[in-house]
Amino acid sequence: MDFDKQTRPLGVSSITGDVLTEALPWIKNVTGKTIVIKYGGAAMVEDQLRADVMADIVLLKIIGVNPVIVHGGGKAISAAMEREGIEVEFIRGQRVTTDAAMDVVRRVLTGEVNQDLVGAMNKHGNMAVGISGADAGVIIADQADPELGRVGRITRINPDLVQDLIAADYIPVIATVAMGEDGGFYNVNADLAAGHIASAIGAHKIIFLSDVNGLYLDYPDPSSLISRMTVDEAKEIIAADCNSGGMIPKLESCVRALEEGVSRAHIINGTIPNALLLETLTNKGIGTMIVNPDNHALQDAAPLGSFAAKLIENAISDE
């Protein structure tokens, strides 16, 4: 595997005037398209970082992108379980979810984490709508492993509600609680849910906002950071179970999305200021980008939204 390593700069501190000028052709490329953003890690826990990321997502919406946010909330769930005296246990990296733990997962993800994200975005205008995967059966799952309790394996996505919210010009914010085939609720992996949703709604891109700089071939050796790779190379890493710093579920999600028509997948560090904008709107992208060379279906620019079209017309007329 001959990966591109560190060809895209990390640690960019802020959006500069040059970057904004450079953004115009990228804006034209993403306007009118849907981007699924899986949100997690320290960028979600720390208040100011969360507010900054939500503001960046609102900016993407203003220029005509259709963001869809998919989130978990592992740290908040563990903290709530500990407060209630419920044992926090993991098997093979997955949370053991008893019926009591599932009650906590539902309450924390849908009633706390989800609403915190919605509130942070709606400070800029009432455009975010919080839902869970159980609403309208958006995410359907069955039991993944009896040993794990109410941990779900996603069996299908019903995208109608998400697509209706996008069509109505809202930003869906989806908590990864699934409706069970058995009528109960399941806790599903947010990384995998994001890939399923991106595939089902025909997203242009999927972006994973984490608290690491991207995918490392030999985590955490900084020299092994991969800036660009193909879907086949991602499959090789999954098969080899390389020391990738817990990235296997993200890679599996990326592979699924790319093989079902999503044009690009990105894994970036959401704690870097404006990381989402830098990855989406500039050629100074950061983190790891995964592509499917065989997928050309979504490469052409979509028609510009009316707001973004006016921005671009004004920019051209001012030159």
Side-chain angles (χ1 to χ4, degrees):
M1 294 181 286
D2 186 20
F3 303 111
D4 292 334
K5 296 180 181 177
Q6 308 220 65
T7 58
R8 299 191 295 168
L10 292 171
V12 181
S13 61
S14 63
I15 296 287
T16 65
D18 288 343
V19 170
L20 289 173
T21 301
E22 175 190 303
L24 185 57
W26 296 92
I27 291 172
K28 293 173 67 176
N29 188 51
V30 298
T31 294
K33 294 179 179 175
T34 298
I35 295 179
V36 171
I37 300 166
K38 190 274 173 174
Y39 186 42
M44 185 166 65
V45 175
E46 204 277 319
D47 289 346
Q48 188 57 55
L49 277 172
R50 182 172 63 243
D52 291 345
V53 171
M54 294 303 103
D56 287 350
I57 291 171
V58 170
L59 179 56
L60 289 175
K61 181 64 177 176
I62 288 171
I63 64 174
V65 176
N66 297 317
V68 175
I69 316 306
V70 178
H71 71 86
K75 292 182 180 179
I77 292 168
S78 293
M81 289 176 63
E82 289 172 355
R83 287 194 301 269
E84 297 187 20
I86 300 172
E87 181 181 4
V88 178
E89 182 184 1
F90 290 85
I91 297 176
R92 297 180 297 277
Q94 298 185 80
R95 183 187 302 277
V96 176
T97 308
T98 63
D99 289 345
M102 190 67 232
D103 289 341
V104 175
V105 169
R106 289 176 59 200
R107 184 179 72 248
V108 171
L109 286 189
T110 64
E112 297 176 18
V113 177
N114 186 273
Q115 291 305 294
D116 284 346
L117 300 181
V118 169
M121 266 189 278
N122 284 346
K123 288 179 180 178
H124 305 282
N126 296 323
M127 60 189 76
V129 176
I131 63 172
S132 82
D135 293 332
V138 170
I139 305 174
I140 303 295
D142 61 13
Q143 189 177 56
D145 183 342
E147 191 176 17
L148 296 172
R150 306 299 297 183
V151 171
R153 176 185 66 87
I154 297 171
T155 57
R156 67 183 186 276
I157 300 292
N158 296 314
D160 291 353
L161 176 59
V162 178
Q163 291 171 329
D164 287 347
L165 289 171
I166 294 170
D169 224 19
Y170 290 107
I171 301 174
V173 183
I174 307 169
T176 49
V177 172
M179 177 60 69
E181 298 276 10
D182 58 4
F185 298 96
Y186 282 96
N187 179 22
V188 294
N189 181 283
D191 291 330
L192 297 178
H196 279 77
I197 290 169
S199 301
I201 65 175
H204 174 61
K205 288 187 179 187
I206 183 169
I207 300 176
F208 292 86
L209 282 179
S210 184
D211 49 15
V212 295
N213 289 333
L215 177 68
Y216 294 82
L217 191 57
D218 183 20
Y219 183 82
D221 178 6
S223 67
S224 70
L225 181 67
I226 302 166
S227 66
R228 181 186 174 100
M229 64 192 305
T230 67
V231 68
D232 288 338
E233 290 167 337
K235 289 179 181 178
E236 290 182 44
I237 289 181
I238 294 168
D241 196 17
C242 295
N243 181 21
S244 54
M247 288 285 176
I248 297 302
K250 290 181 175 58
L251 281 180
E252 291 174 340
S253 185
C254 290
V255 167
R256 176 185 180 87
L258 290 169
E259 289 191 329
E260 295 194 15
V262 177
S263 66
R264 295 284 187 271
H266 306 258
I267 301 171
I268 65 175
N269 189 340
T271 68
I272 296 173
N274 305 123
L276 188 57
L277 301 182
L278 290 167
E279 186 68 18
T280 308
L281 301 180
T282 79
N283 59 18
K284 296 180 177 63
I286 58 178
T288 299
M289 178 170 69
I290 307 170
V291 300
N292 185 350
D294 296 330
N295 177 20
H296 305 290
L298 297 175
Q299 299 303 311
D300 296 332
L304 294 177
S306 59
F307 185 85
K310 290 176 183 177
L311 287 178
I312 292 169
E313 288 169 3
N314 290 339
I316 293 172
S317 65
D318 290 341
E319 290 180 353

